[in-house]
Amino acid sequence: MPDFSCRLSDQIHLKTPIILASGISGNSDSLLVRAAKSGAAAVTTKSCTLKYRPGTDNPASSDWGCGLITNLGLTNPGVDSMVYLINAYRQKAAESVVPVIANIYADNPDEFVELTTKIKLAQPDIIEFVLPEYDPGLVAEITAAVRVNAGLIPISVKLSAICSHIGKVARKAQDAGADFITAVNPVPGMVIDAYAAKPFLSQGSGWISGPSLKPIALKCISDIYKEVSIPIIGMGGVSSGLDMAEMILAGASAVGIGSALYYRGYEAFTKILVEFEEFMNSEGYNNLSEICGKIWR
Amino acid sequence: MEKPFSMEEKKSRVFTVDKVRIENDTTHSLIMKEPMASEPGQFILIWIPGLGEKPFSVAGSNPLMITIADVGKVSGQIDRYQPGDRLWIRGPFGQGYQPYGKDALLVGGGYGASPLLYLAETLIKKGINVHVFLGARSANLLILVDEFEKIPVKLHITTNDGTRGIQGFVTVPLEETIQQLSDVQDACVYACGPKKMLYGIDALCERYGIPRQLSWEAIMRCGMGLCGNCKIEMPDTWEEPVNKPGSKKAWLVCKDGPTSFTK
């Protein structure tokens, strides 16, 4: 059997490279426990903001055929409750506990400082943050602010596929102190119902994920891989073991799944790993480092 | 089991109202012109463009029928629908009821009766002996009584205030009927209603060792098993499947359910 142990840094060792991505079930400690028990090697909480956000009206998501569209409006209980939730997750998971990645979002560097200081109280294994925009100067400023305030906790910058020159922006983040890059966040999109002559989601537009996001994610990850030396947590439309292999071949060290839980349920973690193992065996690979970024070698 | 990938069943489709049937002061059924292949206990999402989307039980499949109580923004709008009006529906979603055994005991609390007429018809076709227990706070909140009276079932009605049927909870005639069953192992209780009622029915069934299928209600957002909004905790009597570790404390009504099974 191939060696699936995934060493993201000196501090972060994962049993396997499969992670629960942010936004799925991450507002519930018991669902994070379920993901951990189902085979996630790390779990990510839903993006949290300084204050509680109620979210959008239904319809907030849809399977439009070649992927999903969602706009839940950053629903989250606020950072103080998220600290409580992370602690509750660890307690309830007990011996099933896996590392937890706390995802945070703010509009400006000052808010990021406050958020980082607060989320640090839960001692997450990684702090992952979503940027309000991708101006290289701002990316560097926010990354440096989170880095300083996170103390010894590793930080990961999450980039969206809409970020132009994503490789260069990732390098800015690395230079400003990021330990990892998480890529990609979904891309904006719209689904229209022709008979209703209206957009389907209550907010008009949303975020496209699932199979249609995968080729976009692969391009972004390979662009980032060429520019940085820090590990990439890749995600975007992975729903099979082969998808996972492709993402690691493009340069990801670990892989997040989200929409796969819609397509295959919580069993997605084990199913994807089994398929990935079959691929590794059939191709004669022994460990992850052999295939990480192999398309460039 | 994984369902085959289909582009069409997931998207909203246009349905046209054929008939409207009044059930009580606040509830009516819409009978559509079009069918929708489904199982009793599954749910659909009805979208009113520009207004919102809400889950409903399937109350009949050929043609599609939905029983709606006027209790919210979306339901209130649908309440005004007339024959010829169009609405957008996606589904069916989730795990429905599975016919089992020789005797079926169907229990509906208030609006929870809405999927049970369809279930009763399905069970009768399979030759299963059907009892129906409808409970509500008051007579004017009972639904589908006339419809159940038209089909070959033994109907038991309870109201909390005694305005119709037996005064008290639906569990009273249910327990009496369970006691009279020749073989509880060859029977099944099918229930739909508020969480508190289902917990009560589950405890009662556990005492008598009778299998049950409970259909749970929850506030749904994504309906796709992703947002976690409809997560509930299952009763202690429910056995967690080996392939779904952690689901007992975090059971998703939209994806794992809405029907749960306990034998």
Side-chain angles (χ1 to χ4, degrees):
Chain A
M1 184 184 161
D3 178 12
F4 280 165
S5 63
C6 175
R7 190 187 158 98
L8 284 180
S9 71
D10 289 344
Q11 287 163 274
I12 312 288
H13 297 227
L14 307 180
K15 279 180 293 185
T16 71
I18 198 164
I19 289 175
L20 174 72
S22 177
I24 295 88
S25 314
N27 272 339
S28 156
D29 43 76
S30 49
L31 279 169
L32 291 177
V33 173
R34 183 169 173 184
K37 288 185 173 177
S38 300
V43 293
T44 312
T45 58
K46 184 147 168 62
S47 294
C48 85
T49 46
L50 276 174
K51 298 267 178 272
Y52 157 77
R53 294 207 191 181
T56 57
D57 288 338
N58 287 350
S61 58
S62 171
D63 173 348
W64 50 274
C66 305
L68 310 184
I69 184 165
T70 51
N71 188 343
L72 292 156
L74 262 174
T75 319
N76 82 92
V79 66
D80 295 333
S81 300
M82 195 54 88
V83 169
Y84 178 83
L85 190 148
I86 291 171
N87 289 328
Y89 151 74
R90 286 207 178 98
Q91 229 169 41
K92 290 178 184 176
E95 74 277 10
S96 309
V97 79
V98 294
V100 58
I101 303 168
N103 185 300
I104 57 172
Y105 173 81
D107 292 324
N108 57 63
D110 289 345
E111 268 184 36
F112 268 113
V113 168
E114 198 180 342
L115 256 178
T116 307
T117 313
K118 288 191 163 172
I119 201 72
K120 202 169 73 176
L121 297 173
Q123 286 294 309
D125 296 275
I126 298 173
I127 296 174
E128 177 179 275
F129 56 102
V130 180
L131 297 158
E133 51 183 291
Y134 297 100
D135 168 72
L138 187 70
V139 171
E141 189 186 349
I142 292 174
T143 306
V146 175
R147 174 67 281 153
V148 167
N149 291 282
L152 294 173
I153 300 171
I155 63 167
S156 187
V157 181
K158 189 165 187 181
L159 299 177
S160 164
I162 57 164
C163 169
S164 54
H165 309 293
I166 196 166
K168 301 265 185 291
V169 172
R171 183 142 83 192
K172 275 272 178 202
Q174 173 182 278
D175 295 346
D179 299 281
F180 316 112
I181 302 290
T182 306
V184 293
N185 238 352
V187 294
M190 181 181 269
V191 167
I192 290 173
D193 187 292
Y195 294 101
K198 288 241 183 293
F200 182 67
L201 296 189
S202 69
Q203 301 304 298
S205 63
W207 306 90
I208 305 294
S209 61
S212 53
L213 182 60
K214 193 185 72 174
I216 300 169
L218 290 174
K219 162 85 164 72
C220 291
I221 290 161
S222 63
D223 285 354
I224 297 167
Y225 183 77
K226 282 187 284 183
E227 291 286 341
V228 303
S229 54
I230 52 177
I232 302 165
I233 301 171
M235 57 190 63
V238 171
S239 53
S240 71
L242 274 184
D243 292 341
M244 185 163 169
E246 292 165 14
M247 205 150 266
I248 297 174
L249 286 162
S253 292
V255 173
I257 64 165
S259 59
L261 274 76
Y262 160 69
Y263 292 107
R264 311 184 76 178
Y266 277 76
E267 299 96 309
F269 294 102
T270 48
K271 286 178 177 171
I272 290 172
L273 269 185
V274 165
E275 292 160 0
F276 182 60
E277 188 184 342
E278 280 168 12
F279 165 79
M280 293 287 277
N281 284 334
S282 74
E283 295 303 297
Y285 294 120
N286 297 306
N287 58 56
L288 298 172
S289 57
E290 279 177 2
I291 69 162
C292 180
K294 191 171 191 286
I295 59 163
W296 298 113
R297 292 197 292 272
Chain B
M1 200 178 76
E2 259 179 276
K3 290 193 174 153
F5 180 76
S6 155
M7 277 176 65
E8 286 315 310
E9 76 178 52
K10 308 299 176 195
K11 282 188 188 169
S12 284
R13 283 170 283 154
V14 182
F15 284 75
T16 309
V17 178
D18 187 27
K19 290 182 209 120
V20 179
R21 191 175 76 204
I22 307 297
E23 305 296 353
N24 68 22
D25 295 352
T26 56
T27 311
H28 65 285
S29 296
L30 295 182
I31 298 138
M32 303 296 163
K33 283 188 175 152
E34 304 81 3
M36 179 189 268
S38 64
E39 292 169 6
Q42 287 191 300
F43 70 95
I44 53 174
L45 292 165
I46 302 185
W47 177 48
I48 306 298
L51 192 71
E53 191 185 47
K54 206 177 159 178
F56 292 91
S57 295
V58 178
S61 72
N62 193 14
L64 176 66
M65 185 168 108
I66 317 132
T67 300
I68 292 160
D70 174 18
V71 288
K73 190 173 67 171
V74 174
S75 314
Q77 176 64 32
I78 299 172
D79 194 44
R80 292 194 277 277
Y81 277 35
Q82 295 301 318
D85 285 342
R86 300 199 297 176
L87 58 171
W88 279 254
I89 301 176
R90 54 179 170 145
F93 297 104
Q95 173 66 58
Y97 294 109
Q98 301 299 313
Y100 170 82
K102 176 165 77 63
D103 293 290
L105 284 59
L106 281 51
V107 193
Y111 310 128
S114 59
L116 298 185
L117 180 65
Y118 178 26
L119 174 63
E121 289 165 347
T122 308
L123 296 172
I124 291 165
K125 275 184 206 152
K126 291 191 177 290
I128 296 170
N129 180 29
V130 180
H131 285 259
V132 175
F133 304 83
L134 299 180
R137 285 198 308 279
S138 192
N140 63 340
L141 296 171
L142 288 163
I143 61 168
L144 299 172
V145 176
D146 296 347
E147 298 304 312
F148 279 114
E149 281 173 346
K150 288 181 202 157
I151 59 172
V153 298
K154 175 88 175 71
L155 185 61
H156 311 255
I157 291 173
T158 60
T159 49
N160 298 7
D161 62 4
T163 45
R164 182 147 184 195
I166 309 161
Q167 181 166 12
F169 292 112
V170 77
T171 42
V172 176
L174 175 64
E175 184 165 11
E176 284 169 10
T177 307
I178 294 172
Q179 285 167 345
Q180 287 159 16
L181 289 171
S182 53
D183 180 7
V184 290
Q185 292 301 321
D186 199 24
C188 186
V189 171
Y190 306 76
C192 183
K195 202 189 283 184
K196 220 172 136 185
M197 182 191 101
L198 296 187
Y199 271 103
I201 288 172
D202 183 69
L204 175 69
C205 292
E206 182 69 9
R207 280 209 300 282
Y208 289 94
I210 182 167
R212 57 276 193 192
Q213 302 186 15
L214 310 175
S215 183
W216 301 85
E217 292 174 353
I219 295 170
M220 271 179 213
R221 290 203 63 207
C222 76
M224 302 166 84
L226 298 177
C227 76
N229 213 67
C230 64
K231 174 211 71 175
I232 60 167
E233 197 167 317
M234 296 305 281
D236 281 342
T237 55
W238 185 77
E239 204 176 312
E240 186 174 275
V242 182
N243 65 341
K244 292 190 172 187
S247 57
K248 187 163 190 160
K249 300 278 181 199
W251 198 78
L252 295 169
V253 172
C254 74
K255 193 88 176 165
D256 296 312
T259 312
S260 72
F261 304 90
T262 306
K263 269 190 187 172

